[in-house]
């Protein structure tokens, strides 16, 4: 688009790593809660547009108890004990204890192909059910949130400044 040609997003006169993802759970995540870096412009902000805008806001993944244990490399004949669920301020799972073994949320997300680390676990007699909100790592700009803001009349500069805190948009040659 010619209107934005040559524009960059800067934090303290340095081009940012403009991370983005599909759909938030209602909030974006602090960079240090997902990655090893702590970027001051990648901080949690509200993104209330996602639930209405995104067709992938909620999802459910079901597994037999045997497959659940198998995917985690645990004894498939044991009972399942889920405990010590630690969450970030935005409600995403940070870590969880399953049968006395601690797993990071990313390990769980990968093992069960979950769309997000914003999940709850339901245990029935037969199954383990993940109820998931959002899609992606949650850091930076939510694409569906940004789309919702645009539909509500926000300009692109306002959208970028909402998702990338304390940043400036500058034209370069």
């Amino acid at each position: 688009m010619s209107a934005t040609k040559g524009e960059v997003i800067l934090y303290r006169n340095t081009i940012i790593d403009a991370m983005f993802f599909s759909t938030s759970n209602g909030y974006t995540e602090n960079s240090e809660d997902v990655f090893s870096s702590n970027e001051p412009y990648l901080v949690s902000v509200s993104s209330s547009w996602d639930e209405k805008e995104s067709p992938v806001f909620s999802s459910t993944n079901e597994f037999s108890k045997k497959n659940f244990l198998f995917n985690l490399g645990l004894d498939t004949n044991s009972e399942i004990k889920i405990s010590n669920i630690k969450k970030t301020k935005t409600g995403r799972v940070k870590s969880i204890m399953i049968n006395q073994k601690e797993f990071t949320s990313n390990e769980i997300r990968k093992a069960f192909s979950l769309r997000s680390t914003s999940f709850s676990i339901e245990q029935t007699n037969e199954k383990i059910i993940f109820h998931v909100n959002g899609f992606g790592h949650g850091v930076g700009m939510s694409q569906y949130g940004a789309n919702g803001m645009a539909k509500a009349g926000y300009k692109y500069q306002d959208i970028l400044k909402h998702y990338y805190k304390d940043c400036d948009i500058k034209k370069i040659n």
Side-chain angles (χ1 to χ4, degrees):
M1 178 177 214
S2 61
T4 59
K5 185 177 180 180
E7 288 188 347
V8 294
I9 307 170
L10 303 171
Y11 179 79
R12 296 188 178 171
N13 291 319
T14 301
I15 294 176
I16 70 165
D17 183 3
M19 300 189 86
F20 61 93
F21 60 100
S22 170
T23 305
S24 82
N25 68 351
Y27 295 92
T28 65
E29 191 61 89
N30 294 314
S31 62
E32 68 270 15
D33 287 330
V34 178
F35 304 111
S36 58
S37 66
N38 178 0
E39 300 298 340
Y41 55 87
L42 294 175
V43 296
S44 178
V45 298
S46 69
S47 190
S48 59
W49 307 270
D50 297 73
E51 187 170 6
K52 180 182 173 198
E53 291 294 320
S54 178
V56 293
F57 178 78
S58 295
S59 58
T60 303
N61 298 52
E62 295 184 12
F63 298 89
S64 70
K65 290 187 172 186
K66 207 172 254 320
N67 281 344
F68 176 81
L69 292 166
F70 178 81
N71 284 10
L72 295 175
L74 299 172
D75 178 5
T76 57
N77 293 314
S78 64
E79 291 295 313
I80 297 172
K81 184 175 182 202
I82 299 170
S83 62
N84 203 24
I85 300 172
K86 295 178 184 168
K87 294 189 175 190
T88 66
K89 291 178 183 173
T90 67
R92 289 174 179 83
V93 173
K94 197 155 175 81
S95 65
I96 186 170
M97 201 72 124
I98 301 171
N99 293 2
Q100 304 303 314
K101 183 174 179 188
E102 186 175 48
F103 294 90
T104 68
S105 58
N106 284 326
E107 289 172 323
I108 299 294
R109 182 179 178 202
K110 184 177 177 184
F112 299 103
S113 299
L114 304 179
R115 290 182 170 169
S116 167
T117 59
S118 180
F119 61 83
S120 62
I121 301 176
E122 177 185 352
Q123 189 171 348
T124 70
N125 287 336
E126 304 294 320
K127 300 177 189 172
I128 299 294
I129 305 165
F130 289 92
H131 300 280
V132 184
N133 286 328
F135 194 164
H137 52 64
V139 177
M141 183 178 68
S142 165
Q143 291 172 302
Y144 277 103
N147 191 53
M149 288 181 78
K151 285 181 177 179
Y154 289 85
K155 303 291 181 217
Y156 78 92
Q157 299 93 331
D158 299 324
I159 296 168
L160 293 172
K161 288 182 178 189
H162 174 73
Y163 286 106
Y164 304 113
K165 284 298 170 203
D166 301 321
C167 285
D168 298 308
I169 301 167
K170 301 261 175 152
K171 199 149 197 110
I172 60 171
N173 296 340

